[in-house]
Amino acid sequence: MIFRLLGPLTLAGATGTVGGPKVRALLARLLLDAGRTVPVERLVDGLYGDEPPAGVQAALQAQVSRLRRALPPGVTVEFTPAGYRLAVGDPVTDVDVLRFEALARDGARAAGAGDPGRAAGLLREALGLWRGPALADVREAPFAAGQAARLDALRLDAVEEWAAAELTVGGDPAPLVRELAWAVREHPLRERLRGLQMRALGAAGRQAEALAAYEEVRAALAEELGADPSPELSAVHLELLRGPASEDRPFPPLPAPLTDFVGRERERERLADLVAAARLVTLVGPGGAGKTRLALEVGAGLPGEVCFVDLGAVAGTGSIADKDGRTGSASGEVVEAFAAALGVRGAERLETALAGRPVLLIVDNCEHVVGETAVLVRRLLAACPGLRVLTTSREALGITGESLLPLGALAPGAAEELFVRRAAAVRPGFTGHARVAELCAGLDGLPLAVELAAARLRTLSVEELADGLGERFALLSRGDRTAPERHRTLRAVVEWSWSLLEPGERELAARLSVFRGGATADAAARVCGADADRLASLVEKSLVEVRDDGRYRMLETIRAYAAERLPDGDPAVAAHPAYYRDLAETADPELRGPDQLEWLARLDAEDANLRAALRRGTPRDGLRLVAALTPYWWLRGLRGRVAAPVAELLDRVEPTGELGEEYALCVLAAGLREGEHVDRARRFLVARTTPLRQPYTAFLWSTSMGPLEGLLLGDDLWSRSLVLVGHAHLTSSETLFAQALTGFRTLGERWGTATALEGLAGLSADPLPLLAEALALFEELGVAEDVVDLLRRRAAVHEAAGDHDAAAADRARATETAHRAGLPA
């Protein structure tokens, strides 16, 4: 070891201190990143703070020169345009800080892998490198305080991991008691540390001192934080009160529910079957889906021994800490949580406690320690043939042989029943409301969200709840005070899932919030830059779900949270309307060809996105989008639903002759029949000297506003066939209808074909076969208005032929179709 920072800064072979304070601070800062380049700006900030003196660059160069003269042979400070680099042989070998971090990391991994002996040795060596406070004689440097705090936290984590490993291995606990004493003095409220101290005292036969330590920390937590001891610390206390562990004693009873079980009967049966057939089953789903409740419900109904392990309070592998700031190494804490639930001490006794016993372990809340849990569960399953494990998580464990049961929204009827039952508890006599279904659908049918909403009926009405869903996180901000913090409010549920994402996953999730009603993989890639792996990761972590049709979709609650985190000006905001404009323009000609049904279905799936793009895009893009979607809206009978957003677009548009036809189509889609917009649109169309781009323009204008002379139609087969239909109606020409029919059949276009068949039927001596074929085509397209009109027309034909029963049947069918489609009677 050449350089030591874990205590006063020392340099092997040097006599006395190394240079002055600035030189020592510079050396310490470079040592923390030994072997890596440190930018000049970072060195200046670290050495001089927020207000560096004039000529700071020259001052830094002078300090580097002094440092170079003080360094031993083979060690130098190199300069590159990127900054300064301290070049040493092997940073991990030559610098005690880096050596400590590597040993501590390896020790934690060994503990997580179930090798406490190796973990104890590595961590003991790591802690032996400390000679006093880190960076002890350079603490005046601006960078030092933050780095020292970081190293102190790592040291404390290592102490806890080492103590847990030593307790697992066994041996003389007396040295462990002594070593833990100083850490407890420095951190008296750190509950994992106090629990380890209590276990060490108990192992040393000092039971009374261990119980006194618990009372001491319990009182301190109550006085200083207003909190009770954590479940883990309470479990250690209970273990001490029980005395030496017995590996075959009964497990504690499962947590008893406080409310009745609603809405998951089918999933309960399915889960019970899976648990009976597979040794490892994981319930996966978003937060608030009711995974814990379902697991406990199934566990309570199974024969044999069942043990519940709650990992909710275990600190995760990232930066997650609980409300009291408790943190720690996840791998060791996972083992401790299992041991506490089973009533044993140490990892090596887990297999002993489970060996030869047909036990079901319910392991709850695994998502933030999924890797550590997977390692331990796999080890226990391999060692204990009678063991079965049921886990709940927002992400699968990823072990071979794992069976998954995804848990999402409640079925609509079940969600409404849950709301009514929970609402009746806070508002006696409540039996339902017309808007409960709307409210539950807006909450994605998530049981927790539904229950939080029902609880608000103490002070709000159902109407206020349903109308307030746009501010759902503020609305549902009060929950069960005794629940874990991440389940007390709707925002906390989503924040917990969000905190488990990597930065790149968070960026993608925020961008996916621009979609409405989901997206295809192609849309996600082109709008959000989503690669397949990152998108799959969001699915695995229950932030995004994949539907049977292959579309990716966020629950609306998650989408609303993600939208709050989308930065202003993010490229996805502009890419979304551009993508759907291109999609609509690609679909437009396809709607007049043989693939008409396929493209109608594709646009149906994107209806919400298309309407969002209409509101979000530029006015010019909006005009183009309306023009491209006009045939779709006509064929699907959606013009009434889009009238409002199209009218909003008209108010934003500064019309020009270049997009005059598109402007006229907007006027038609907005349902206007007179006024300034109509007059301007008519002038644009009359002044046009080139053929219309959209074949539907002339047809829709004439049916809505009356004929407009002088319009130049396109020379495509569809337009020519439609013109033939118009002339055939004016001249009652069976020949022209037949020619139009041939054109539409050539294209494979159903609406035009049905329209020509309907015209031919009016001139035919035997209209019923023609009407039947037209009706089948209209029904295939799903154009309800045309279906209703044709049924009524056929009823009149039946009536004229004296077939009153057939006429009545067609009229009844027309009425039913109109009712289902919401058409006027």
Side-chain angles (χ1 to χ4, degrees):
M1 190 70 64
I2 300 176
F3 300 99
R4 297 182 181 276
L5 292 172
L6 300 176
L9 190 154
T10 62
L11 174 60
T15 57
T17 58
V18 180
K22 286 294 183 190
V23 173
R24 289 198 303 277
L26 174 61
L27 174 58
R29 182 62 192 85
L30 290 171
L31 283 170
L32 290 169
D33 284 295
R36 298 189 294 269
T37 300
V38 182
V40 171
E41 294 80 4
R42 193 176 300 168
L43 284 174
V44 169
D45 290 344
L47 296 176
Y48 298 97
D50 296 332
E51 298 181 1
V56 68
Q57 300 282 354
L60 178 61
Q61 291 175 6
Q63 301 298 347
V64 170
S65 297
R66 295 187 186 98
L67 176 59
R68 283 173 174 150
R69 291 194 294 271
L71 292 173
V75 181
T76 186
V77 179
E78 299 174 348
F79 175 75
T80 70
Y84 289 95
R85 172 178 175 268
L86 185 68
V88 297
D90 180 359
V92 174
T93 301
D94 296 340
V95 182
D96 64 348
V97 165
L98 303 183
R99 177 69 177 159
F100 163 74
E101 290 178 344
L103 288 168
R105 194 162 49 244
D106 291 344
R109 287 174 181 161
D115 191 348
R118 183 168 180 270
L122 290 168
L123 292 162
R124 191 183 306 114
E125 181 182 351
L127 293 168
L129 296 171
W130 286 72
R131 299 168 294 108
L135 308 173
D137 54 353
V138 294
R139 287 288 179 102
E140 72 281 357
F143 78 88
Q147 289 289 340
R150 179 182 70 85
L151 292 169
D152 287 343
L154 290 176
R155 182 188 190 186
L156 191 55
D157 286 344
V159 167
E160 290 179 339
E161 278 296 319
W162 168 71
E166 290 285 5
L167 285 168
T168 299
V169 172
D172 184 7
L176 185 57
V177 171
R178 289 193 298 270
E179 291 294 330
L180 288 173
W182 71 265
V184 167
R185 285 194 297 271
E186 294 293 325
H187 304 277
L189 298 182
R190 186 154 169 133
E191 291 184 72
R192 188 188 183 206
L193 187 64
R194 297 305 296 261
L196 291 165
Q197 180 195 35
M198 290 162 56
R199 290 175 56 199
L201 287 167
R206 296 157 66 175
Q207 202 85 352
E209 292 177 64
L211 295 173
Y214 175 79
E215 292 302 324
E216 177 186 331
V217 70
R218 184 188 62 77
L221 286 169
E223 180 177 348
E224 298 189 31
L225 300 178
D228 294 325
S230 67
E232 290 71 28
L233 188 60
S234 298
V236 175
H237 179 236
L238 183 60
E239 179 184 334
L240 289 167
L241 291 173
R242 288 173 174 167
S246 170
E247 277 75 16
D248 60 353
R249 68 185 174 203
F251 299 123
L254 296 178
L258 300 179
T259 56
D260 54 344
F261 184 75
V262 180
R264 293 287 194 195
E265 288 74 15
R266 182 177 300 176
E267 290 91 339
R268 178 172 57 189
E269 293 178 9
R270 173 67 178 140
L271 182 58
D273 291 342
L274 278 176
V275 170
R279 295 188 62 208
L280 173 60
V281 179
T282 297
L283 267 175
V284 289
K291 300 183 294 294
T292 302
R293 179 62 188 274
L294 179 58
L296 289 172
E297 190 75 16
V298 168
L302 293 176
E305 292 186 286
V306 182
C307 180
F308 183 72
V309 182
D310 185 5
L311 300 182
V314 174
T317 53
S319 60
I320 300 170
D322 69 13
K323 63 184 176 65
D324 298 325
R326 293 186 290 259
T327 61
S329 172
S331 56
E333 288 198 53
V334 169
V335 173
E336 289 175 19
F338 272 70
L342 293 169
V344 300
R345 298 177 185 173
E348 85 288 353
R349 298 184 181 177
L350 293 177
E351 288 98 334
T352 305
L354 295 169
R357 298 171 72 178
V359 177
L360 172 65
L361 279 186
I362 298 178
V363 187
D364 196 31
N365 297 307
C366 302
E367 55 271 354
H368 59 303
V369 283
V370 66
E372 296 85 350
T373 305
V375 170
L376 181 56
V377 166
R378 182 170 184 171
R379 190 185 101 206
L380 293 176
L381 287 170
C384 309
L387 176 65
R388 289 172 297 151
V389 179
L390 168 59
T391 69
T392 75
S393 179
R394 303 183 194 188
E395 179 180 1
L397 268 61
I399 301 175
T400 300
E402 179 182 24
S403 294
L404 302 180
L405 180 60
L407 201 63
L410 285 169
E416 295 159 32
E417 180 186 0
L418 178 64
F419 181 88
V420 170
R421 289 204 198 180
R422 299 297 183 259
V426 299
R427 182 180 286 184
F430 181 85
T431 58
H433 188 279
R435 298 187 69 184
V436 167
E438 173 193 347
L439 174 61
C440 292
L443 294 171
D444 304 303
L446 282 179
L448 179 62
V450 171
E451 291 185 327
L452 289 171
R456 292 308 306 272
L457 279 191
R458 284 190 290 263
T459 55
L460 298 175
S461 67
V462 174
E463 291 93 339
E464 289 171 320
L465 286 170
D467 291 339
L469 284 179
E471 300 295 330
R472 65 187 61 214
F473 295 118
L475 189 69
L476 305 182
S477 59
R478 301 176 187 173
D480 185 346
R481 293 188 181 92
T482 66
E485 188 169 355
R486 64 186 179 280
H487 278 170
R488 290 182 194 170
T489 68
L490 191 61
R491 178 177 294 278
V493 170
V494 186
E495 281 180 342
W496 173 255
S497 294
W498 195 266
S499 69
L500 302 178
L501 299 179
E502 300 294 333
E505 294 170 339
R506 293 178 190 172
E507 179 183 66
L508 175 56
R511 288 180 172 176
L512 289 172
S513 69
V514 301
F515 293 105
R516 298 292 189 276
T520 62
D522 176 70
R526 289 178 55 186
V527 173
C528 306
D531 62 74
D533 289 342
R534 191 156 286 168
L535 196 56
S537 181
L538 290 179
V539 173
E540 291 168 359
K541 296 181 178 181
S542 300
L543 267 292
V544 173
E545 58 186 18
V546 184
R547 296 297 180 88
D548 292 340
D549 58 4
R551 291 176 63 81
Y552 294 86
R553 178 184 177 271
M554 282 179 159
L555 294 177
E556 180 57 26
T557 296
I558 295 173
R559 195 205 64 76
Y561 183 90
E564 294 178 353
R565 272 129 190 89
L566 185 68
D568 292 337
D570 189 277
V573 176
H576 179 271
Y579 175 86
Y580 285 101
R581 180 203 65 213
D582 292 345
L583 175 67
E585 291 180 339
T586 301
D588 176 27
E590 301 292 343
L591 294 179
R592 294 182 290 281
D595 296 327
Q596 186 178 47
L597 293 180
E598 176 187 336
W599 279 93
L600 283 171
R602 186 168 177 182
L603 293 177
D604 287 343
E606 301 293 1
D607 180 54
N609 277 313
L610 292 167
R611 284 184 282 119
L614 185 61
R615 287 190 167 96
R616 183 180 286 146
T618 64
R620 182 182 181 85
D621 282 344
L623 288 174
R624 290 174 57 185
L625 184 60
V626 168
L629 289 176
T630 292
Y632 167 66
W633 291 337
W634 169 261
L635 292 172
R636 283 297 195 235
L638 298 176
R639 286 172 296 163
R641 194 171 73 178
V642 300
V646 173
E648 293 172 11
L649 173 64
L650 282 175
D651 292 337
R652 295 191 289 135
V653 165
E654 292 292 337
T656 64
E658 178 191 3
L659 293 176
E661 180 185 354
E662 287 77 3
Y663 177 77
L665 287 167
C666 271
V667 170
L668 291 170
L672 303 181
R673 295 296 177 266
E674 58 184 20
E676 180 184 351
H677 286 302
V678 174
D679 294 340
R680 184 184 292 120
R682 183 179 288 109
R683 290 195 298 271
F684 280 142
L685 291 177
V686 170
R688 189 176 182 88
T689 59
T690 57
L692 295 168
R693 287 188 288 267
Q694 174 53 264
Y696 272 79
T697 303
F699 161 64
L700 291 177
W701 187 275
S702 64
T703 57
S704 300
M705 306 289 189
L708 192 60
E709 298 296 331
L711 290 181
L712 298 176
L713 303 181
D715 193 38
D716 60 287
L717 180 56
W718 193 90
S719 296
R720 295 199 308 270
S721 300
L722 189 62
V723 168
L724 288 172
V725 169
H727 289 320
H729 275 295
L730 291 173
T731 61
S732 298
S733 171
E734 194 169 352
T735 301
L736 292 180
F737 274 128
Q739 291 175 1
L741 179 61
T742 299
F744 286 129
R745 286 196 193 279
T746 300
L747 290 170
E749 201 275 294
R750 294 163 181 80
W751 181 83
T753 300
T755 301
L757 286 167
E758 185 179 8
L760 274 174
L763 303 175
S764 172
D766 185 17
L768 290 177
L770 298 171
L771 290 174
E773 184 180 356
L775 182 61
L777 290 170
F778 280 145
E779 287 180 328
E780 193 175 11
L781 284 170
V783 283
E785 290 186 36
D786 291 311
V787 170
V788 170
D789 288 342
L790 204 56
L791 283 168
R792 288 174 176 161
R793 180 172 176 182
R794 193 171 70 173
V797 172
H798 285 309
E799 196 73 54
D803 191 346
H804 303 296
D805 290 342
D810 273 352
R811 289 194 187 97
R813 188 172 158 197
T815 301
E816 182 185 356
T817 302
H819 178 72
R820 284 202 310 266
L823 299 174

